[in-house]
Short mmCIF file of all heavy atoms in Angstrom, two decimals:
data_model
loop_
_atom_site.label_atom_id
_atom_site.label_comp_id
_atom_site.label_asym_id
_atom_site.label_seq_id
_atom_site.Cartn_x
_atom_site.Cartn_y
_atom_site.Cartn_z
N ALA A 100 4.48 -1.24 15.49
CA ALA A 100 4.07 -1.92 14.26
C ALA A 100 3.40 -0.94 13.29
O ALA A 100 3.67 -0.96 12.08
CB ALA A 100 3.11 -3.07 14.58
N ALA A 101 2.55 -0.07 13.82
CA ALA A 101 1.87 0.91 12.97
C ALA A 101 2.87 1.93 12.43
O ALA A 101 2.76 2.38 11.28
CB ALA A 101 0.77 1.63 13.76
N ARG A 102 3.85 2.29 13.25
CA ARG A 102 4.88 3.22 12.80
C ARG A 102 5.68 2.65 11.64
O ARG A 102 5.99 3.34 10.67
CB ARG A 102 5.82 3.54 13.98
CG ARG A 102 7.01 4.41 13.62
CD ARG A 102 6.61 5.84 13.32
NE ARG A 102 7.73 6.60 12.79
CZ ARG A 102 7.75 7.93 12.74
NH1 ARG A 102 6.74 8.63 13.19
NH2 ARG A 102 8.80 8.55 12.25
N LYS A 103 6.00 1.35 11.72
CA LYS A 103 6.73 0.71 10.63
C LYS A 103 5.91 0.73 9.35
O LYS A 103 6.43 1.02 8.26
CB LYS A 103 7.06 -0.74 11.02
CG LYS A 103 7.79 -1.53 9.93
CD LYS A 103 9.16 -0.92 9.62
CE LYS A 103 10.03 -1.84 8.78
NZ LYS A 103 9.44 -2.17 7.46
N LEU A 104 4.62 0.46 9.47
CA LEU A 104 3.75 0.53 8.30
C LEU A 104 3.74 1.94 7.71
O LEU A 104 3.79 2.12 6.50
CB LEU A 104 2.32 0.13 8.69
CG LEU A 104 1.93 -1.34 8.62
CD1 LEU A 104 0.48 -1.51 9.05
CD2 LEU A 104 2.13 -1.89 7.21
N ALA A 105 3.67 2.95 8.60
CA ALA A 105 3.65 4.35 8.15
C ALA A 105 4.92 4.70 7.39
O ALA A 105 4.87 5.37 6.35
CB ALA A 105 3.46 5.28 9.35
N GLU A 106 6.05 4.25 7.90
CA GLU A 106 7.33 4.56 7.25
C GLU A 106 7.41 3.93 5.87
O GLU A 106 8.03 4.49 4.95
CB GLU A 106 8.48 4.09 8.13
CG GLU A 106 8.60 4.91 9.41
CD GLU A 106 9.65 4.36 10.37
OE1 GLU A 106 10.27 3.31 10.04
OE2 GLU A 106 9.84 4.96 11.44
N ASP A 107 6.79 2.78 5.71
CA ASP A 107 6.82 2.09 4.42
C ASP A 107 5.79 2.66 3.44
O ASP A 107 6.02 2.68 2.23
CB ASP A 107 6.53 0.60 4.61
CG ASP A 107 7.67 -0.13 5.31
OD1 ASP A 107 8.79 0.40 5.32
OD2 ASP A 107 7.41 -1.23 5.85
N ALA A 108 4.64 3.11 3.97
CA ALA A 108 3.50 3.42 3.10
C ALA A 108 3.32 4.90 2.76
O ALA A 108 2.85 5.23 1.67
CB ALA A 108 2.21 2.89 3.73
N LEU A 109 3.66 5.79 3.69
CA LEU A 109 3.31 7.20 3.50
C LEU A 109 4.31 7.94 2.62
O LEU A 109 5.52 7.82 2.80
CB LEU A 109 3.22 7.91 4.86
CG LEU A 109 2.27 7.30 5.89
CD1 LEU A 109 2.14 8.21 7.10
CD2 LEU A 109 0.90 7.01 5.28
N LEU A 110 3.78 8.71 1.69
CA LEU A 110 4.59 9.54 0.81
C LEU A 110 3.97 10.93 0.77
O LEU A 110 2.81 11.09 0.37
CB LEU A 110 4.64 8.93 -0.60
CG LEU A 110 5.74 9.42 -1.53
CD1 LEU A 110 7.13 9.06 -1.00
CD2 LEU A 110 5.55 8.84 -2.93
N VAL A 111 4.73 11.94 1.22
CA VAL A 111 4.21 13.30 1.30
C VAL A 111 4.70 14.10 0.10
O VAL A 111 5.91 14.20 -0.14
CB VAL A 111 4.67 13.99 2.60
CG1 VAL A 111 4.04 15.37 2.72
CG2 VAL A 111 4.32 13.14 3.82
N PHE A 112 3.77 14.67 -0.63
CA PHE A 112 4.14 15.47 -1.80
C PHE A 112 4.54 16.88 -1.36
O PHE A 112 4.09 17.39 -0.34
CB PHE A 112 2.97 15.52 -2.79
CG PHE A 112 2.96 14.34 -3.72
CD1 PHE A 112 2.84 13.06 -3.22
CD2 PHE A 112 3.09 14.51 -5.09
CE1 PHE A 112 2.85 11.95 -4.06
CE2 PHE A 112 3.11 13.42 -5.94
CZ PHE A 112 2.98 12.13 -5.43
N SER A 113 5.40 17.51 -2.16
CA SER A 113 5.99 18.80 -1.76
C SER A 113 6.38 19.60 -2.99
O SER A 113 6.92 19.05 -3.95
CB SER A 113 7.24 18.54 -0.91
OG SER A 113 8.06 19.68 -0.84
N GLY A 114 6.08 20.90 -2.95
CA GLY A 114 6.50 21.76 -4.06
C GLY A 114 8.00 21.85 -4.18
O GLY A 114 8.54 22.00 -5.28
N LEU A 115 8.72 21.72 -3.07
CA LEU A 115 10.18 21.82 -3.07
C LEU A 115 10.85 20.47 -3.31
O LEU A 115 11.77 20.37 -4.12
CB LEU A 115 10.65 22.41 -1.74
CG LEU A 115 12.17 22.46 -1.49
CD1 LEU A 115 12.91 23.17 -2.63
CD2 LEU A 115 12.46 23.15 -0.16
N TRP A 116 10.41 19.43 -2.63
CA TRP A 116 11.10 18.14 -2.68
C TRP A 116 10.49 17.15 -3.65
O TRP A 116 11.06 16.09 -3.88
CB TRP A 116 11.14 17.51 -1.28
CG TRP A 116 11.52 18.44 -0.19
CD1 TRP A 116 10.74 18.87 0.84
CD2 TRP A 116 12.79 19.10 -0.01
NE1 TRP A 116 11.43 19.75 1.65
CE2 TRP A 116 12.69 19.91 1.14
CE3 TRP A 116 13.99 19.08 -0.72
CZ2 TRP A 116 13.75 20.69 1.61
CZ3 TRP A 116 15.04 19.86 -0.25
CH2 TRP A 116 14.91 20.66 0.89
N GLY A 117 9.34 17.46 -4.20
CA GLY A 117 8.65 16.52 -5.07
C GLY A 117 7.81 15.58 -4.23
O GLY A 117 6.59 15.67 -4.17
N ALA A 118 8.47 14.66 -3.55
CA ALA A 118 7.80 13.77 -2.60
C ALA A 118 8.86 13.21 -1.66
O ALA A 118 10.00 12.95 -2.08
CB ALA A 118 7.08 12.63 -3.32
N VAL A 119 8.48 13.04 -0.40
CA VAL A 119 9.42 12.50 0.61
C VAL A 119 8.69 11.50 1.50
O VAL A 119 7.47 11.54 1.66
CB VAL A 119 10.02 13.62 1.50
CG1 VAL A 119 10.94 14.52 0.69
CG2 VAL A 119 8.93 14.43 2.19
N ARG A 120 9.48 10.60 2.08
CA ARG A 120 8.95 9.71 3.11
C ARG A 120 8.98 10.45 4.45
O ARG A 120 9.71 11.42 4.61
CB ARG A 120 9.80 8.44 3.20
CG ARG A 120 9.65 7.50 2.01
CD ARG A 120 10.41 6.21 2.29
NE ARG A 120 10.27 5.23 1.24
CZ ARG A 120 9.23 4.40 1.11
NH1 ARG A 120 8.23 4.48 1.97
NH2 ARG A 120 9.19 3.51 0.14
N ILE A 121 8.23 9.93 5.42
CA ILE A 121 8.16 10.63 6.71
C ILE A 121 9.48 10.53 7.48
O ILE A 121 9.71 11.29 8.41
CB ILE A 121 7.01 10.11 7.58
CG1 ILE A 121 7.15 8.61 7.88
CG2 ILE A 121 5.67 10.41 6.92
CD1 ILE A 121 6.17 8.11 8.93
N THR A 122 10.36 9.62 7.08
CA THR A 122 11.66 9.49 7.73
C THR A 122 12.73 10.38 7.10
O THR A 122 13.82 10.53 7.67
CB THR A 122 12.14 8.03 7.68
OG1 THR A 122 12.06 7.58 6.32
CG2 THR A 122 11.29 7.14 8.56
N ASP A 123 12.45 10.96 5.94
CA ASP A 123 13.43 11.82 5.28
C ASP A 123 13.64 13.09 6.10
O ASP A 123 12.67 13.76 6.48
CB ASP A 123 12.96 12.21 3.87
CG ASP A 123 13.09 11.06 2.89
OD1 ASP A 123 13.97 10.21 3.08
OD2 ASP A 123 12.32 11.03 1.91
N ARG A 124 14.88 13.44 6.34
CA ARG A 124 15.19 14.62 7.14
C ARG A 124 15.24 15.86 6.25
O ARG A 124 16.06 15.94 5.33
CB ARG A 124 16.52 14.44 7.87
CG ARG A 124 16.50 13.27 8.86
CD ARG A 124 17.82 13.13 9.60
NE ARG A 124 18.08 14.31 10.43
CZ ARG A 124 17.61 14.48 11.66
NH1 ARG A 124 16.86 13.55 12.21
NH2 ARG A 124 17.89 15.56 12.34
#
Side-chain angles (χ1 to χ4, degrees):
R102 175 71 188 196
K103 178 63 168 61
L104 272 180
E106 292 174 358
D107 290 341
L109 305 188
L110 197 64
V111 184
F112 275 61
S113 163
L115 174 54
W116 314 114
V119 292
R120 289 186 177 278
I121 60 170
T122 52
D123 285 332
R124 298 181 64 85

